[in-house]
Amino acid sequence: MSRDIVITNARLLGRDAVDIRVSGQQIVSVEPTGATTASAADRESGRDADLVIDGSGLIALPGLVDLGAHLRQPGLEQVETVTSASQAAALGGFTAVHALPDTDPVADTAGNVELVHRLGLDAGYVDVRPIGAVTVGMRCDRLAEIGAMAHSTAQVRVFSDSETGITDPLLLRRALEYVKPFAGVIAQHAQDPLLTKDAEMNEGELSSRLGLHGWPAVAEASVIARDVLLADHVGARLHVRHVSAKGSVDVLRWAKQRGIDVTADVTPHHLALTEELIAGYDPRYKVNPPLRAQADVEALHEGLADGTIDAIATDHAPQPPEAKECEWAHAEPGMLGLQTALHVAQAALVDTGVLSWGDLARVLSSAPAAIAGDAEQGQQLTADAIANLVLVDPLGSTTLQRDDIASLSWNSPWLGEQLPGRIVATISRGVPTVLDGSLCTPEAVRTWI
């Protein structure tokens, strides 16, 4: 028997107030609040619903879709599990997360991606979509079982060698050719390993002053230039992960103007933070690629606003305490992102007027779903759509405390900081995973299903 949810008086994409009715996994109606029909009155009163949510003052968005998160399982379950990451994602308003393949063992076979997929189904909070490795063991010497992963029960469509990247242009060309027939996409981390050897932060005046090895922005842009030309030559799809610098945005804009089939994403932290924070040598700010200068951040904002950059992706990277509570040189890169992405994006983009709430839904939901070829996510909130949605209080605030973090790690730069917005509810395929700002228990999720 299907379960019904009624949401009243929520502002759809931050605009007009609507009443949304969900039955089972599907949205069955979206009508203007105050409709005079008897059926609308019933929906407003909630007399025939299992759950009624008062959406007054809340914004309704499609469920968020993350194009790249390090879920760490299998292999590093003490740092993160698929379940803990899924819970963090639900608290962040996500209904789908794409799991990067840098696990142990690497997700480079049909069996390995199916394991991650099953773990996501068992957790039940979000759709977990495995990303398959492009090369065996991500060692960049021979192609992995791309076809087998694509035809597995996980139905993999996104392939990446995570933060390793594919440095061999011939191997990248072959991978692009391989995924083309089934509309797959190669998601590339753009980094020239020779130009970034021993690099610790963005190359510039600050790196010289701090005595840290510089990471030149051209090491990213030059690889993007090579890769878009290869994608154009093959006629295949390329996705560039976590763009961080102005020069990279310029290359992507040039490529799109030429009609090359390339997409790109940027992380919330590259939209909100700059290299100046590294002056304190706090390892929480060590990421890959590194935080850049203010001019780069402004270029990223502009690129996201004009469509040069298509999506925001968290690059959620939990690390154990010993990897962050140490000297800068020995710290591992990465920070948490799933639980704070929407808040950081609101602060950096919506509250500053760079994007509207509708634009934010595009870059955090519909665009990443389209890039990943996932037709069941990122849908507009209309009748007959799958019920993936999040309700946000834009005037509320969230202060992330250590006990509030669902992840098994706590390497967040926003720990203890007040962020704008409060995620009131997340509904994944018609199942409430977050209600009144709190995570629903696994038992409650299973009972609702």
Side-chain angles (χ1 to χ4, degrees), residues 23 29 77 89 114 131 142 165 186-187 237 254 349 416 432 439:
S23 184
S29 67
E77 287 83 356
E114 287 177 343
I131 295 174
R142 58 192 176 95
I186 300 297
R237 296 174 58 215
W254 172 86
L349 302 168
L439 189 72

Side-chain angles (χ1 to χ4, degrees), residues 222-276:
S222 60
V223 173
I224 295 173
R226 180 202 70 177
D227 292 353
V228 296
L229 290 173
L230 280 172
D232 186 35
H233 178 71
V234 173
R237 296 174 58 215
L238 173 74
H239 179 73
V240 182
R241 298 184 55 234
H242 42 53
V243 174
S244 70
K246 181 182 183 301
S248 302
V249 178
D250 293 338
V251 173
L252 287 166
R253 187 173 287 116
W254 172 86
K256 289 197 168 190
Q257 289 170 350
R258 286 176 59 91
I260 298 174
D261 196 357
V262 58
T263 54
D265 67 56
V266 59
T267 72
H269 48 271
H270 284 106
L271 292 165
L273 307 176
T274 69
E275 63 177 358
E276 298 297 327

Side-chain angles (χ1 to χ4, degrees), residues 7 25 55 80 93 103 105 152 162 171 216 305 307 321 348 360 371 378 387 408 438 449:
I7 302 165
Q25 293 193 21
E80 191 76 289
T103 48
S152 70
S162 193
L171 204 57
L360 201 63
I371 290 166
L408 300 184
S438 298
I449 294 172

Side-chain angles (χ1 to χ4, degrees), residues 40-257:
D42 284 342
R43 278 189 287 276
E44 289 174 6
S45 66
R47 284 177 289 183
D48 59 345
D50 299 281
L51 173 65
V52 179
I53 300 174
D54 181 4
S56 301
L58 306 183
I59 293 175
L61 303 173
L64 310 186
V65 178
D66 187 25
L67 271 175
H70 303 267
L71 303 194
R72 304 302 191 202
Q73 187 180 15
L76 285 172
E77 287 83 356
Q78 73 277 19
V79 176
E80 191 76 289
T81 65
V82 171
T83 294
S84 63
S86 296
Q87 292 173 337
L91 284 167
F94 288 90
T95 55
V97 172
H98 288 77
L100 288 159
D102 55 344
T103 48
D104 185 12
V106 170
D108 58 2
T109 67
N112 290 347
V113 295
E114 287 177 343
L115 169 62
V116 175
H117 184 238
R118 285 196 302 271
L119 289 169
L121 292 174
D122 291 343
Y125 284 89
V126 297
D127 286 357
V128 175
R129 307 291 196 191
I131 295 174
V134 179
T135 66
V136 175
M138 300 191 306
R139 293 189 295 269
C140 200
D141 53 7
R142 58 192 176 95
L143 292 181
E145 298 176 5
I146 291 175
M149 288 187 279
H151 293 96
S152 70
T153 58
Q155 294 287 292
V156 177
R157 290 296 179 270
V158 183
F159 298 86
S160 175
D161 270 7
S162 193
E163 265 54 28
T164 304
I166 306 166
T167 57
D168 183 335
L170 179 58
L171 204 57
L172 177 60
R173 173 183 174 169
R174 289 174 177 166
L176 289 165
E177 291 171 335
Y178 208 104
V179 301
K180 182 179 176 181
F182 55 83
V185 61
I186 300 297
Q188 174 76 316
H189 167 80
Q191 177 186 348
D192 187 311
L194 296 179
L195 287 173
T196 56
K197 183 176 174 57
D198 298 325
E200 299 176 272
M201 68 168 292
N202 182 48
E203 182 180 272
E205 183 274 331
L206 184 60
S207 63
S208 298
R209 178 155 52 88
L210 296 177
L212 297 176
H213 293 288
W215 182 312
V218 70
E220 179 178 288
S222 60
V223 173
I224 295 173
R226 180 202 70 177
D227 292 353
V228 296
L229 290 173
L230 280 172
D232 186 35
H233 178 71
V234 173
R237 296 174 58 215
L238 173 74
H239 179 73
V240 182
R241 298 184 55 234
H242 42 53
V243 174
S244 70
K246 181 182 183 301
S248 302
V249 178
D250 293 338
V251 173
L252 287 166
R253 187 173 287 116
W254 172 86
K256 289 197 168 190
Q257 289 170 350

Side-chain angles (χ1 to χ4, degrees), residues 267-326:
T267 72
H269 48 271
H270 284 106
L271 292 165
L273 307 176
T274 69
E275 63 177 358
E276 298 297 327
L277 293 164
I278 297 170
Y281 298 98
D282 186 339
R284 288 184 302 166
Y285 299 111
K286 189 174 185 178
V287 286
N288 179 3
L291 299 180
R292 303 289 187 183
Q294 181 62 37
D296 295 299
V297 173
E298 292 170 3
L300 295 173
H301 286 189
E302 182 182 347
L304 200 60
D306 69 17
T308 300
I309 300 173
D310 303 84
I312 295 174
T314 70
D315 200 27
H316 175 83
Q319 295 287 3
E322 61 271 18
K324 284 295 186 179
E325 297 174 3
C326 59

